[in-house]
Amino acid sequence: MTEQTALINGEIDAVISPRDRGLAYGDGVFRTLRCQAGRVLAWPRQYARLQADCERLGMACPDEALWLADLARLAPWDASIKLMVTRGVAARGYACAPDAPPTRLVLAGPLPAYPEALYRDGAAIRLCDWLLPIQPGLAGVKHLNRLDQVMARREWSDPAIFEGLMRNARGELVEGVMSNLYLLQDGCLLTHPLTDCGVAGVMREMVLQLATELGLPIVLRSFDADVMLGAEAVLLSNSLAGVVPVGRCGQRLWQDFSLAAQFNHRINSLCREESHLCLPV
Amino acid sequence: MTEQTALINGEIDAVISPRDRGLAYGDGVFRTLRCQAGRVLAWPRQYARLQADCERLGMACPDEALWLADLARLAPWDASIKLMVTRGVAARGYACAPDAPPTRLVLAGPLPAYPEALYRDGAAIRLCDWLLPIQPGLAGVKHLNRLDQVMARREWSDPAIFEGLMRNARGELVEGVMSNLYLLQDGCLLTHPLTDCGVAGVMREMVLQLATELGLPIVLRSFDADVMLGAEAVLLSNSLAGVVPVGRCGQRLWQDFSLAAQFNHRINSLCREESHLCLPV
């Protein structure tokens, strides 16, 4: 598994057209998946989200069988996998050709190496200055228009900082650049509703499902940085890292990381139960 | 000049990497240019904007000499040219590699055929429902995150409708999907200031410069659809079509298109004066 393994519309080492609408307009969606010992974790949820996001943009989503054939072709063992769908190749202009076939892209690469200390001692995070725009029309969708995340990520280069938190134009803390965000407060799990901005991750869906099983009431509401700094615990999640406890934000330190550990224990089981085994062809 | 002519980093028929950040995140900028009888119109302004937009995103902009060599290579006669710069090819994740070379793309294709009637009888336009988000950090920049334009353009398929006007979340009319927007009202030329959303086109810069020469005071302020419908004239502009007068929006008809004609007369001269002749290599 090299950094460069890519399948485009099922072809190894195929290329992206310079006229692909994914490049021209960011006209597409993606998902990031974790593959562990040959199993793509949480596959049914990942595919369901990909389909739902394509539908939000009015795009055709390639059939599940095509993706599974691609995954069998790549036969990843331990890998990070990125799936991408764009509205395909088109002539100049914003208008969509109604019958243009979508571009289907699968990229496989090594898993990022998250140190054990990240889970044991918690992550160091920062607040980003770059604001997320309010856009209910695209809220929740994991689309390819990610300049806001790029610009926010440019604010720091210190490798000790794991993540930057992003606020929207109303000053609400929404999510991290690459993760969803949760607070433990008064025995409840708070997270932004993501109805007018933000990305609804598959790991977020799992966290919310498991919170109920852990007896934690879920509160979907907005909160600002002061509420975050006053929370009993702060958690981040994404599909590659699972649930990451926050240990430090500026001068504020947290020390009890047991909730993240509980989540990860259950999420690992659930991810395996719901995984898809990539049998090599 | 076929639809498919593309130069990528100076190479004919080169390809876009599936790991290009332009595709992954829309992490780049573009310009659309009109080439007429071998001259790229308004070249110095187009290049200045491209540079300024790269700077806004903290990206390197390829030297002017490289673009001019590309244009000489393509030797377009009558053509629409798209220039694109992305932050290049990178490993997974939002963080930018500081020294990654940008991807430089030049696409050439035929000029769209605008019927004479468009300028003689005015364009039919509509109001889009899709809203532009407020994002001062990216306002004015012609970046590759264009899903809002894609979604707005999906609202109509009637070929008789030339353009759809877009409002922002405050209900202000900002621009068209593919053009800037101006009103003639009480002897002034009104246009949105584009300080918190919108794309600052090169043609807009020319229109504002020529308005002063035509004795028309410029008013940069926001306005809503009712103000637009009450205006004495409504104009659109972009680099391919020049200035297009609006003839109809729903039941509202306009009939005096002399202002657009005056602008086009002067813009044509100015564009030629400021053109770059593509001498074939």
Side-chain angles (χ1 to χ4, degrees):
Chain A
M1 182 71 49
T2 72
E3 178 71 36
Q4 298 308 324
T5 312
L7 274 181
I8 299 172
N9 295 327
E11 282 185 57
I12 291 265
D13 293 330
V15 294
I16 298 289
S17 162
R19 293 184 189 267
D20 196 284
R21 292 176 62 101
L23 177 68
Y25 307 129
D27 191 8
V29 299
F30 73 108
R31 304 301 316 175
T32 305
L33 291 69
R34 185 180 175 96
C35 187
Q36 206 166 287
R39 291 183 172 277
V40 179
L41 304 186
W43 169 256
R45 291 179 200 252
Q46 294 278 9
Y47 182 65
R49 287 271 171 181
L50 192 74
Q51 273 188 309
D53 283 355
C54 283
E55 200 171 324
R56 284 280 296 281
L57 300 190
M59 281 171 47
C61 183
D63 285 344
E64 186 174 11
L66 292 170
W67 297 105
L68 294 181
D70 288 350
L71 289 169
R73 200 68 191 283
L74 291 173
W77 189 250
D78 292 334
S80 74
I81 306 273
K82 186 170 183 173
L83 309 182
M84 203 185 287
V85 189
T86 82
R87 214 185 299 263
V89 176
R92 212 191 53 73
Y94 291 110
C96 308
D99 302 321
T103 299
R104 177 176 100 253
L105 174 60
V106 183
L107 284 168
L111 279 173
Y114 298 118
E116 216 184 298
L118 190 66
Y119 303 91
R120 192 187 58 221
D121 307 329
I125 63 168
R126 69 188 299 282
L127 288 176
C128 293
D129 294 321
W130 192 271
L131 300 179
L132 285 170
I134 306 282
Q135 177 48 294
L138 296 174
V141 178
K142 204 168 169 78
H143 53 68
L144 298 176
N145 277 203
R146 300 261 75 100
L147 262 177
D148 292 305
Q149 282 72 21
V150 169
M151 297 307 284
R153 185 61 187 79
R154 284 173 52 79
E155 293 180 15
W156 82 97
S157 55
D158 178 357
I161 302 289
F162 175 72
E163 178 62 305
L165 302 188
M166 298 187 72
R167 285 167 282 206
N168 66 17
R170 285 192 295 263
E172 302 166 3
L173 267 179
V174 178
E175 61 191 2
V177 169
M178 57 163 185
S179 62
N180 286 122
L181 169 69
Y182 319 82
L183 309 184
L184 178 67
Q185 197 192 42
D186 302 327
C188 294
L189 194 74
L190 259 71
T191 194
H192 194 278
L194 308 186
T195 45
D196 53 18
C197 55
V199 176
V202 159
M203 198 50 74
R204 178 175 182 271
E205 185 184 302
M206 287 189 155
V207 165
L208 297 184
Q209 177 184 324
L210 292 172
T212 305
E213 295 179 27
L214 287 171
L216 274 177
I218 296 157
V219 181
L220 296 179
R221 74 164 167 80
S222 56
F223 49 86
D224 63 17
D226 286 340
V227 171
M228 186 272 291
L229 292 170
E232 297 145 45
V234 179
L235 307 177
L236 305 169
S237 78
N238 71 31
S239 290
L240 292 179
V243 175
V244 175
V246 171
R248 179 166 68 82
C249 182
Q251 301 304 307
R252 171 67 161 112
L253 302 175
W254 288 269
Q255 277 168 340
D256 181 355
F257 307 134
S258 56
L259 181 59
Q262 278 182 288
F263 269 120
N264 280 324
H265 182 72
R266 294 185 180 229
I267 280 171
N268 288 342
S269 306
L270 191 56
C271 276
R272 268 194 304 274
E273 276 168 39
E274 298 187 351
S275 63
H276 172 80
L277 182 62
C278 299
L279 289 173
V281 283
Chain B
M1 182 72 48
T2 72
E3 178 71 37
Q4 298 307 322
T5 313
L7 274 183
I8 300 173
N9 295 327
E11 283 185 54
I12 290 266
D13 292 330
V15 293
I16 297 290
S17 162
R19 292 183 190 270
D20 195 285
R21 292 175 63 100
L23 178 68
Y25 307 129
D27 192 9
V29 299
F30 73 108
R31 303 298 322 171
T32 305
L33 290 71
R34 185 181 175 97
C35 186
Q36 206 166 287
R39 292 183 171 276
V40 179
L41 304 186
W43 169 256
R45 291 179 199 251
Q46 293 279 9
Y47 182 65
R49 288 270 171 182
L50 192 74
Q51 273 188 310
D53 283 354
C54 283
E55 200 172 325
R56 285 279 297 280
L57 301 190
M59 281 171 47
C61 183
D63 286 344
E64 185 174 12
L66 292 169
W67 296 107
L68 293 182
D70 287 350
L71 290 169
R73 202 63 194 285
L74 289 173
W77 189 251
D78 291 334
S80 74
I81 306 273
K82 187 170 182 172
L83 309 183
M84 204 186 287
V85 189
T86 82
R87 215 184 300 263
V89 176
R92 211 190 54 72
Y94 290 110
C96 308
D99 302 321
T103 300
R104 176 176 102 250
L105 175 60
V106 183
L107 284 167
L111 280 172
Y114 298 118
E116 214 184 300
L118 190 66
Y119 302 91
R120 191 187 59 223
D121 307 329
I125 63 168
R126 69 189 298 283
L127 288 176
C128 292
D129 293 322
W130 192 271
L131 300 179
L132 284 171
I134 305 284
Q135 176 49 296
L138 296 175
V141 178
K142 205 168 169 79
H143 53 68
L144 298 176
N145 277 204
R146 300 260 76 99
L147 262 177
D148 292 305
Q149 282 72 21
V150 169
M151 296 307 284
R153 186 60 187 80
R154 284 174 51 79
E155 292 181 16
W156 83 97
S157 54
D158 179 356
I161 302 289
F162 175 72
E163 177 63 303
L165 301 188
M166 298 187 73
R167 286 166 282 206
N168 66 16
R170 286 194 294 265
E172 302 165 4
L173 267 180
V174 178
E175 61 192 3
V177 169
M178 56 163 186
S179 62
N180 285 122
L181 170 68
Y182 318 82
L183 309 185
L184 178 67
Q185 197 192 40
D186 302 326
C188 294
L189 194 74
L190 259 70
T191 194
H192 194 279
L194 308 186
T195 46
D196 54 15
C197 55
V199 175
V202 159
M203 197 50 74
R204 178 176 182 270
E205 185 183 301
M206 288 190 154
V207 164
L208 296 185
Q209 175 184 324
L210 293 172
T212 305
E213 295 180 25
L214 287 171
L216 273 177
I218 296 158
V219 181
L220 297 180
R221 74 164 168 82
S222 56
F223 49 85
D224 64 15
D226 285 340
V227 172
M228 185 272 292
L229 292 171
E232 295 145 47
V234 179
L235 307 178
L236 306 168
S237 78
N238 71 31
S239 290
L240 292 180
V243 176
V244 175
V246 171
R248 178 166 70 80
C249 181
Q251 301 304 306
R252 171 67 160 113
L253 303 175
W254 288 269
Q255 278 169 335
D256 181 356
F257 307 134
S258 55
L259 180 60
Q262 279 181 287
F263 270 119
N264 280 324
H265 182 70
R266 293 184 180 229
I267 280 171
N268 287 343
S269 306
L270 191 56
C271 277
R272 266 194 304 274
E273 276 168 39
E274 298 188 352
S275 64
H276 172 80
L277 182 61
C278 299
L279 289 172
V281 284

